[in-house]
Amino acid sequence: MTRDLWKHLILILGALIVIAPFYMMVSYSFKSPGEIDRGEGGFFGRQEMMVDERCVKLRDPNREDVAAAVPRFPNKTDSQIRDALVAEAVSDCQMRPIVFNYSKAFTEAPLLRYLLNGVIVTASIFLIQIVVALPAAYALAKLKFWGREAVFSLVLFCLLIPVHAIALPLYIMLAKIGLTNTYAALVVPWTISVFGIFLMRQFFITVPDDLIDAARMDGMGEFAIVWRVMLPTAIPALLAFAIFSVVAHWNDYFWPRIVVTGNRDLFTPPLGLREFKGDGDGSFFGPMMATATVIVTPLIVAFLVAQRRFIEGITLSGMK
Amino acid sequence: MAVAETHTPEIVSAETAQRRTAWWLTAPALALMILILLVPVVIAGILSFTDYSLGNDTFDWVGTKNYDRLFSRSTYEKMFIATFTYVITVVPLSVGLGLGAALLINSLGRIGDLYKTIYFLPVMATLLAMAIAWEFMLHPSIGMVNRTLEMSCGTFLEIIPFLKNGCADRFPLWLGDRDYAIWVICFIGVWQGFGFNMVLYLAGLTGVHRELYHAAEMDGAKSGWERFRLVTWPALGPTTVFVVTISCIRAFQVFDTIEAFWPQGGGPNKSTYVMMFAIFEKGVQQNLIGIGSAITVLFLVFVMFLTLIQRWLVERKVHY
């Protein structure tokens, strides 16, 4: 037991360092700017009402507002009415820091749009990868044809090339055909997953030939066999690959940074967060951390719910 | 003869049909592999000998001038230093910590799973978001790191020279300090990556046979270290080869943290000007495609070289 104790001590120390930035990110997303500056308030902050200065400034009454408010404040001078209006604005602009941070995260930048883009891009990448890789993997595993070895060697060679490394020539090609700043640019380089082909081929080799022969007897064509026989047998491997692919592309920053410039409608979540950081002055730490929390949360929650599957999927590349 | 003649056409046509379908099934994957992976490599190779830039219709051949520059200008010397410092620091540390964590967790049984979950969190999280969280952690005045260090002031911990200097003067600026910047980047790299290695090692450890430990004990390997040296480490050989390779390739591709911290110029005194950032800055932002392509080519050479070493090791030596 004492021997286990020091193990726990080391592991807990490591865990604290690993957790620290997550703790801080979530905690800051709850706190008011003052609390962040002074470093007080514990994890949740005190959640005292705070005034949104920008909101007050926006509602600063001009002469017309004052004139329009005269019936509501009879027997008062203009400056008194003005003060009353400002006080009203201040009380309307009061909110809890947590509400302030998260509402700003969604209103200062089109965060929902970014999240939607993230979903569109990752989903299309995964679907196209499957549509391209699955038939090829089946042919490489189960069909005899002249050139099969050559194609497979090509697959093995292409495994050597990380797509990020050839980002520059890809960018030039896309720019030449005028595809930068489109969804296509975000998706196209990832449509081919040599790794997916390799993985699925290894998996399909283990599928018994009898299953395929039986399907042929039933009069199924090869295309039908791929989608109606092989696909269902490959679900576990596909799921792991899906996790691998979605995590990689939801979190990817490098490629979107290159092909999307300026057009906010195409921003993926990391790009959106990056821009938020660029604009924000110091007082916007809270909303920024709220944005970061919103972006990180979906995958973390999914991971916590289906841990085993996620670890399987992410470490897929380690399978022999 | 007659029999053969009546049979052959059928067999041939069945084979031809299968061959044709096989090609249909692999064609999309093959086309995309060539277009998206091979053509860009060739393009990068060609453009690295030119002074091409986007928007120009023509370009001139400049011979090896781009490469000469890479090996003579001090900017690129800094680039190589930063890249290799990062790789040489992050790979051993993240592999070592991954192995250490895996061994500790493995020896703890089921309670260890909690640590596994925690250590894996950074692998799942969007690195860009976490980079921004780290930036706040490392903020010179309001960051959690320096605040924590300040707490040690006035206690016995001040005997540590680093803390003593910090308390007397001020604690480091971290990201703004050219002596610390690259190490902070390395730290975040290790923080983010070691959980991934840990999981691979945990998978590797399940494959080590219990009997081997008994046998080693019979042979007089009494201490834990002896057992590790004689049984565990050799058995983890294949895992280690894979873990080291993938860590190297990932380390070469570091970009997100650097772009997030220093959007311009790659850190204080270019101390964190790594290759990926150089490709992005020269090739995409400054439209100096020739030099960007030359860096791309070098990058590909490094990565392919590493993977080939890995494959060679896997085939030759590490199967005990």
Side-chain angles (χ1 to χ4, degrees):
Chain A
M1 194 56 221
T2 42
R3 272 179 62 209
D4 278 358
L5 194 67
W6 67 261
K7 286 181 190 166
H8 280 292
L9 277 177
I10 294 175
L11 288 170
I12 287 171
L13 186 72
L16 286 179
I17 295 172
V18 168
I19 293 267
F22 291 98
Y23 172 89
M24 196 226 56
M25 177 178 79
V26 178
S27 168
Y28 277 23
S29 79
F30 293 153
K31 291 190 191 183
S32 67
E35 284 169 326
I36 292 174
D37 266 356
R38 293 187 298 274
E40 19 169 79
F43 181 68
F44 289 104
R46 280 190 303 273
Q47 297 300 330
E48 280 165 350
M49 285 302 209
M50 57 171 279
V51 178
D52 179 358
E53 301 293 345
R54 281 203 202 179
C55 161
V56 175
K57 210 171 272 170
L58 225 63
R59 287 186 42 168
D60 193 37
N62 56 24
R63 202 166 292 161
E64 284 153 36
D65 293 332
V66 175
V70 168
R72 286 203 289 141
F73 302 99
N75 313 323
K76 293 229 169 109
T77 66
D78 273 6
S79 76
Q80 276 174 322
I81 292 174
R82 201 188 135 78
D83 289 346
L85 282 176
V86 170
E88 251 179 20
V90 168
S91 80
D92 282 353
C93 288
Q94 270 193 337
M95 51 178 109
R96 305 269 172 209
I98 181 172
V99 179
F100 171 78
N101 288 341
Y102 280 88
S103 62
K104 280 286 173 245
F106 281 94
T107 52
E108 285 295 307
L111 181 56
L112 272 180
R113 179 68 196 248
Y114 300 159
L115 293 171
L116 182 69
N117 284 341
V119 172
I120 293 174
V121 169
T122 44
S124 355
I125 288 175
F126 173 66
L127 288 177
I128 299 176
Q129 279 178 337
I130 291 303
V131 169
V132 173
L134 217 56
Y138 167 69
L140 287 172
K142 289 293 177 193
L143 299 180
K144 287 188 186 63
F145 61 101
W146 181 87
R148 185 172 76 165
E149 295 311 310
V151 174
F152 189 60
S153 328
L154 190 66
V155 169
L156 290 182
F157 177 75
C158 286
L159 275 173
L160 290 172
I161 307 169
V163 178
H164 276 173
I166 50 171
L168 181 61
L170 278 173
Y171 163 73
I172 296 166
M173 288 162 75
L174 288 169
K176 274 283 160 199
I177 50 177
L179 274 182
T180 47
N181 286 312
T182 59
Y183 279 116
L186 289 168
V187 173
V188 161
W190 308 104
T191 50
I192 177 79
S193 168
V194 244
F195 174 63
I197 297 178
F198 179 75
L199 188 83
M200 288 299 153
R201 173 193 176 264
Q202 303 303 83
F203 186 84
F204 285 157
I205 283 182
T206 64
V207 174
D209 283 337
D210 296 348
L211 191 69
I212 297 161
D213 287 335
R216 286 199 189 116
M217 292 294 187
D218 289 349
M220 283 171 109
E222 301 294 324
F223 283 91
I225 291 176
V226 173
W227 299 115
R228 306 229 309 260
V229 180
M230 300 309 270
L231 179 70
T233 64
I235 293 291
L238 273 182
L239 203 63
F241 181 69
I243 291 169
F244 175 85
S245 166
V246 166
V247 170
H249 298 117
W250 179 269
N251 289 340
D252 188 22
Y253 173 64
F254 183 63
W255 181 250
R257 179 79 181 79
I258 288 181
V259 285
V260 176
T261 42
N263 185 357
R264 275 178 155 205
D265 289 343
L266 289 169
F267 275 12
T268 57
L271 278 182
L273 179 61
R274 182 69 188 75
E275 201 201 39
F276 206 120
K277 179 177 180 262
D279 306 337
D281 48 17
S283 63
F284 255 51
F285 287 172
M288 203 165 104
M289 285 297 111
T291 309
T293 310
V294 169
I295 290 170
V296 171
T297 304
L299 285 185
I300 295 285
V301 168
F303 164 64
L304 292 176
V305 170
Q307 252 190 76
R308 208 175 48 81
R309 288 230 174 268
F310 265 75
I311 291 182
E312 224 170 70
I314 303 297
T315 54
L316 200 62
S317 44
M319 281 176 18
K320 289 283 135 53
Chain B
M1 210 44 205
V3 179
E5 262 168 23
T6 50
H7 271 264
T8 337
E10 250 177 51
I11 294 166
V12 166
S13 69
E15 269 182 4
T16 326
Q18 201 184 53
R19 191 187 309 155
R20 208 168 287 157
T21 359
W23 275 107
W24 272 116
L25 292 173
T26 35
L30 196 61
L32 285 175
M33 250 192 302
I34 292 170
L35 205 65
I36 290 174
L37 297 170
L38 295 183
V39 170
V41 173
V42 176
I43 289 182
I46 295 171
L47 289 180
S48 69
F49 295 103
T50 69
D51 62 354
Y52 180 73
S53 57
L54 271 178
N56 291 5
D57 290 331
T58 56
F59 56 79
D60 290 322
W61 297 95
V62 295
T64 56
K65 210 172 103 195
N66 290 323
Y67 291 96
D68 293 344
R69 256 190 228 168
L70 278 189
F71 292 109
S72 57
R73 294 262 175 100
S74 74
T75 314
Y76 300 112
E77 193 190 324
K78 281 178 181 159
M79 173 183 85
F80 288 120
I81 292 175
T83 310
F84 286 105
T85 313
Y86 183 85
V87 173
I88 290 168
T89 318
V90 168
V91 173
L93 282 179
S94 66
V95 172
L97 284 175
L99 175 62
L103 290 170
L104 286 179
I105 287 170
N106 199 46
S107 70
L108 284 177
R110 299 209 64 180
I111 332 166
D113 280 357
L114 181 64
Y115 297 112
K116 184 167 91 176
T117 309
I118 292 173
Y119 291 174
F120 202 69
L121 284 178
V123 184
M124 300 297 308
T126 311
L127 183 55
L128 185 88
M130 296 327 289
I132 291 173
W134 272 112
E135 194 175 6
F136 282 140
M137 298 273 294
L138 295 162
H139 193 287
S141 56
I142 65 167
M144 204 187 252
V145 172
N146 278 2
R147 277 205 177 126
T148 314
L149 291 175
E150 275 160 23
M151 283 200 300
S152 72
C153 290
T155 67
F156 71 95
L157 285 168
E158 271 204 58
I159 48 171
I160 303 168
F162 171 77
L163 290 176
K164 197 178 160 197
N165 293 338
C167 292
D169 184 12
R170 57 171 175 75
F171 285 105
L173 295 175
W174 302 116
L175 298 177
D177 188 323
R178 71 174 185 202
D179 293 331
Y180 285 101
I182 183 75
W183 304 114
V184 171
I185 294 290
C186 290
F187 172 79
I188 297 174
V190 174
W191 172 86
Q192 205 250 343
F194 85 99
F196 180 81
N197 297 341
M198 169 199 71
V199 165
L200 289 174
Y201 271 122
L202 279 172
L205 281 170
T206 58
V208 185
H209 293 296
R210 292 271 143 229
E211 300 90 66
L212 284 175
Y213 289 106
H214 292 307
E217 241 167 286
M218 297 281 200
D219 287 353
K222 287 277 179 283
S223 69
W225 164 247
E226 291 264 277
R227 281 200 298 276
F228 173 77
R229 194 173 61 85
L230 291 170
V231 180
T232 319
W233 180 246
L236 288 176
T239 313
T240 304
V241 170
F242 178 75
V243 166
V244 170
T245 324
I246 199 152
S247 300
C248 277
I249 294 175
R250 285 161 151 247
F252 266 114
Q253 296 185 37
V254 58
F255 173 81
D256 296 15
T257 40
I258 288 160
E259 214 274 341
F261 294 154
W262 307 282
Q264 257 87 45
N269 197 24
K270 287 216 180 293
S271 58
T272 60
Y273 190 67
V274 294
M275 288 178 92
M276 268 307 192
F277 188 82
I279 293 175
F280 171 70
E281 194 200 54
K282 294 290 167 199
V284 179
Q285 287 190 316
Q286 301 179 0
N287 203 2
L288 298 169
I289 291 188
I291 198 89
S293 302
I295 306 174
T296 300
V297 170
L298 273 188
F299 189 96
L300 279 172
V301 169
F302 289 144
V303 169
M304 287 191 178
F305 181 66
L306 282 170
T307 322
L308 288 175
I309 292 183
Q310 180 219 358
R311 285 189 188 169
W312 179 75
L313 277 175
V314 167
E315 272 162 30
R316 298 207 83 186
K317 177 162 163 269
V318 285
H319 285 293
Y320 289 92

